[in-house]
């Protein structure tokens, strides 16, 4: 995921979405081998993403908190 600098004020909440593409930074991922710029709606298939929760293969999100200036 690209580094982006956002400011979240006190009391704000964030939501994390897991997806298989970098849309809108790049083209949508049709999950099939097709010519993406010319893909028809029928070329796109639903993807299933997994969040691993085992001790030996954990998933995680790291959020860096900078001190207020």
């Amino acid at each position: 995921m690209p580094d982006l600098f956002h400011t979240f004020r006190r009391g704000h909440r964030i939501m994390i979405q897991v997806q298989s593409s970098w849309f809108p930074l790049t083209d949508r991922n049709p999950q099939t081998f097709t010519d993406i710029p010319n893909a028809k709606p029928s070329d796109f298939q639903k993807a299933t993403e997994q969040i691993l929760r085992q001790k030996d293969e954990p998933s995680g999100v790291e959020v860096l908190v900078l001190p207020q200036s």
Side-chain angles (χ1 to χ4, degrees):
M1 191 161 80
D3 288 335
L4 298 173
F5 292 98
H6 294 288
T7 300
F8 298 100
R9 302 283 182 205
R10 186 179 304 273
H12 282 200
R13 296 183 292 174
I14 61 171
M15 177 177 66
I16 297 171
Q17 295 182 356
V18 177
Q19 56 193 41
S20 60
S21 73
W22 283 17
F23 184 79
L25 300 175
T26 62
D27 283 330
R28 295 184 303 157
N29 184 349
Q31 310 301 326
T32 59
F33 293 103
T34 187
D35 180 19
I36 294 174
N38 299 313
K40 300 180 294 291
S42 60
D43 294 328
F44 290 84
Q45 296 180 6
K46 184 178 179 178
T48 301
E49 305 298 340
Q50 295 181 358
I51 304 294
L52 301 176
R53 296 176 49 172
Q54 294 84 5
K55 284 185 178 183
D56 58 332
E57 295 184 42
S59 294
V61 175
E62 188 173 306
V63 177
L64 301 176
V65 179
L66 300 175
Q68 292 181 335
S69 55

